[in-house]
Amino acid sequence: MTQGMLAVNPIFTRGEVSARIFGSFAEHMGRVIYSGIYEPGHLAADAAGCRTDVLEAVRDMGVTLMRYPGGNFVSNYRWENGVGPVAARPRQVDLAWRSIETNEFGTNEFMRWAACAGVEPMLTVNLGTRGITEAVEYLEYVNFPGGTRLSDLRRAHGAEAPYGVKLWCLGNEMDGNWQIGHKDMEAYARLAAETGKAMKILDPGIELIACGSAKSDMPSFPRWDLCVLEHVYGIADYLSLHQYYGGQQMGTAAFLAQSEDFERYIATIRSAIAVTRALRRSDKAMYISVDEWGVWAAPPESVTREVDQQPWQVAPAISEQIYTLEDALLFASMLMTMVRNADIVKIGCQSLITNISSCIMTRPGGEMWKQTIYYPFRMLARHARGTVLEVAGSPACYAVPGSPQVPALDVLAVWNRAEGEVAVFCVNRLDNAPGALALQLQGFQPSEIAQCVTLTGGLRQTNEHDHSAVIPRESDVARLREGVLTAELPPLSFTMIRVRV
């Protein structure tokens, strides 16, 4: 394949990257919380029972935001069961994951964990089995200064000052018939609008995220999104979309091309927002929150055995996916797609932080290790900061069913004025040939290549046994001459090149 010359120019930009794009998600599901981020008695546990090895990995990964407590879990959750003296908290059934929730870890524990991790908290209210009253009460407990029953209850629980949580999700995936309390679009839209209105009366400074479509192939997409937007446009600040991709068995070319569907999904929601804004004659901006996203691995080679499939267990080891290099490349392209749409995508939550579709794996009582997908996230979170540049040109493409023009190289460029550099990120989707990158840096004065690192290896290689099998390594594939950056990128690889300008 012949790759044409690509170009970037500081005149042509796509938007400013929000730090909130580099968020993650902690749900009460399987071992995400218990023996994931929280394991009293572990050698690495702090005084609050949180694993310091995981905290260190979260900080190193560059996570900026954490969504909690769900997810499907939230739609049958009673937040008040997770506060107060731990010994007095009730055990309850979790209908979403058919397990037992001990409530040992709850809102105050999460808020302390978030402060230790240096991440912004993002909370979700239950609009499945509960409604306006319970959502407002949760907000009052968390954010109201004092002098009321619930705010004083928080203070009695050891949190004297209000937490001041800004981001609140109005339910989770309410378009899905798998959701406890699933509603049709009109019912959810009205409930979200009235709940959001009441919450903003109590705390006008909060930002609200309404449920958009849970997947790009939902039968109700995009009618659901248009309906919700019609009701909540003047109240909510973001519309959420969720997306996971699997299908490793379809072959590498088609598997990696799925980020093109993600691009179309975001474009459709962008259009729905624009249409609603025009219909309402509104000058209010509305943004997208991709607050669940990731690669869903397929058995047998990409998923560990589910250790305990019996229902009604505490923190059962379910869906513990082990990621390959191939998975990491699609993961990288998904995050690059979100950054590329930085003008409208302002929040992202990689799902999940530990043990299930996760960047970080833990063994109960044992070690912590980092999956293949950890590293693209870390590289982008650290260096995809600033202004997204439009990448112009005619890339070499291949075709797969549903995507007739898939660029062989997925290329993202971000100009960081503060650091004086342009960071270029490339996924070579070709499994049988190097990718020839030629990128003209128009309007810049490039001086040198500050760093070039590549993530590659065997297609099905994982980090499960050799934790450093698939990690970024310094590379000398890039050259800079007369304002043109060239590189011969290995087959099936993710490369970051930082150019000083």
Side-chain angles (χ1 to χ4, degrees):
M1 272 185 196
T2 302
Q3 175 76 30
M5 175 75 77
L6 304 177
V8 294
N9 190 303
I11 296 174
F12 303 105
T13 65
R14 295 286 302 264
E16 297 297 312
V17 180
S18 165
R20 285 171 165 174
I21 284 181
F22 305 109
S24 189
F25 178 31
E27 178 172 6
H28 284 255
M29 175 186 181
R31 293 195 311 110
V32 177
I33 303 295
Y34 303 112
S35 79
I37 68 174
Y38 176 78
E39 189 177 357
H42 191 279
L43 288 176
D46 62 15
C50 296
R51 288 187 58 151
T52 57
D53 54 350
V54 173
L55 280 167
E56 183 179 349
V58 169
R59 295 187 202 106
D60 179 68
M61 185 173 149
V63 178
T64 57
L65 172 77
M66 192 66 63
R67 181 171 175 242
Y68 176 85
N72 294 352
F73 171 81
V74 80
S75 292
N76 190 48
Y77 183 51
R78 300 177 65 86
W79 66 266
E80 58 269 39
N81 287 350
V83 299
V86 173
R89 297 180 192 178
R91 292 162 65 97
Q92 65 185 89
V93 295
D94 167 28
L95 299 179
W97 306 117
R98 300 181 75 213
S99 60
I100 298 297
E101 172 56 49
T102 67
N103 285 306
E104 183 180 351
F105 189 96
T107 298
N108 292 304
E109 288 78 18
F110 170 71
M111 293 303 300
R112 284 192 288 270
W113 183 90
C116 289
V119 299
E120 180 182 3
M122 176 176 176
L123 296 179
T124 306
V125 300
N126 176 359
L127 292 188
T129 58
R130 311 187 90 181
I132 299 171
T133 298
E134 293 85 359
V136 172
E137 287 178 343
Y138 193 20
L139 175 63
E140 180 185 344
Y141 179 88
V142 172
N143 277 9
F144 204 74
T148 66
R149 179 181 67 86
L150 291 171
S151 60
D152 286 346
L153 185 63
R154 181 201 68 242
R155 295 168 68 191
H157 293 160
E160 178 67 28
Y163 289 118
V165 174
K166 290 293 184 184
L167 293 171
W168 293 80
C169 300
L170 297 168
N172 173 76
E173 293 182 358
M174 299 307 298
D175 59 331
N177 59 10
W178 58 84
Q179 200 71 208
I180 305 299
H182 160 66
K183 295 168 176 62
D184 64 38
M185 61 183 75
E186 286 286 346
Y188 169 72
R190 289 194 298 271
L191 176 60
E194 292 303 315
T195 302
K197 182 171 69 177
M199 291 176 73
K200 283 199 168 181
I201 289 172
L202 181 65
D203 189 345
I206 61 174
E207 301 170 47
L208 297 175
I209 302 101
C211 290
S213 290
K215 295 183 293 182
S216 61
D217 61 357
M218 291 294 290
S220 59
F221 169 73
R223 290 178 293 111
W224 172 281
D225 307 87
L226 288 164
C227 177
V228 171
L229 284 166
E230 179 184 355
H231 285 79
V232 307
Y233 199 91
I235 297 161
D237 305 280
Y238 306 86
L239 187 72
S240 80
L241 63 85
H242 292 178
Q243 188 64 56
Y244 297 90
Y245 291 109
Q248 288 82 348
Q249 69 280 0
M250 69 176 62
T252 298
F255 176 72
L256 296 182
Q258 290 179 108
S259 61
E260 297 297 297
D261 174 78
F262 196 33
E263 186 78 56
R264 292 188 291 270
Y265 188 17
I266 292 171
T268 302
I269 299 295
R270 178 194 291 273
S271 297
I273 290 171
V275 166
T276 305
R277 183 175 182 172
L279 287 171
R280 294 176 65 92
R281 306 296 191 267
S282 175
D283 59 0
K284 176 185 175 179
M286 186 99 169
Y287 298 104
I288 293 172
S289 171
V290 189
D291 42 50
E292 273 191 49
W293 70 271
V295 176
W296 199 260
E301 61 273 353
S302 298
V303 183
T304 63
R305 288 192 300 274
E306 304 205 355
V307 176
D308 190 345
Q309 298 185 50
Q310 295 298 314
W312 316 121
Q313 304 297 307
V314 174
I318 57 173
S319 300
E320 299 199 354
Q321 302 171 51
I322 306 301
Y323 286 115
T324 64
L325 169 69
E326 183 184 40
D327 297 326
L329 299 182
L330 176 56
F331 181 94
S333 279
M334 290 183 72
L335 185 50
M336 288 165 62
T337 299
M338 292 164 58
V339 173
R340 189 178 292 118
N341 288 277
D343 62 316
I344 190 99
V345 177
K346 297 298 183 183
I347 296 172
C349 297
Q350 170 272 329
S351 174
L352 291 141
I353 189 60
T354 56
N355 294 325
I356 297 175
S357 63
S358 67
C359 289
I360 299 167
M361 295 296 293
T362 67
R363 303 193 197 283
E367 65 179 344
M368 175 279 302
W369 56 277
K370 300 167 183 176
Q371 297 235 54
T372 60
I373 63 172
Y374 180 96
Y375 297 100
F377 189 105
R378 182 182 186 273
M379 293 156 72
L380 283 151
R382 286 172 174 258
H383 299 292
R385 297 299 185 99
T387 305
V388 179
L389 299 171
E390 187 76 52
V391 178
S394 300
C397 293
Y398 65 89
V400 297
S403 295
Q405 293 288 313
V406 181
L409 294 185
D410 185 8
V411 181
L412 169 72
V414 182
W415 175 26
N416 188 327
R417 291 179 179 84
E419 297 294 329
E421 69 177 37
V422 172
V424 180
F425 304 88
C426 305
V427 172
N428 181 8
R429 294 175 167 132
L430 300 176
D431 63 357
N432 57 1
L437 173 70
L439 181 66
Q440 188 174 28
L441 300 170
Q442 298 176 355
F444 291 101
Q445 295 180 346
S447 60
E448 64 176 345
I449 295 173
Q451 185 183 31
C452 178
V453 293
T454 296
L455 184 81
T456 192
L459 182 67
R460 301 294 181 191
Q461 202 165 15
T462 76
N463 288 344
E464 182 177 17
H465 303 296
D466 177 357
H467 302 334
S468 60
V470 184
I471 63 173
R473 291 180 167 88
E474 296 292 330
S475 171
D476 63 355
V477 299
R479 300 288 183 270
L480 181 64
R481 183 174 181 181
E482 296 179 353
V484 177
L485 174 67
T486 60
E488 188 170 287
L489 307 172
L492 296 179
S493 64
F494 172 64
T495 300
M496 177 183 72
I497 308 167
R498 296 166 51 216
V499 181
R500 298 206 188 282
V501 296

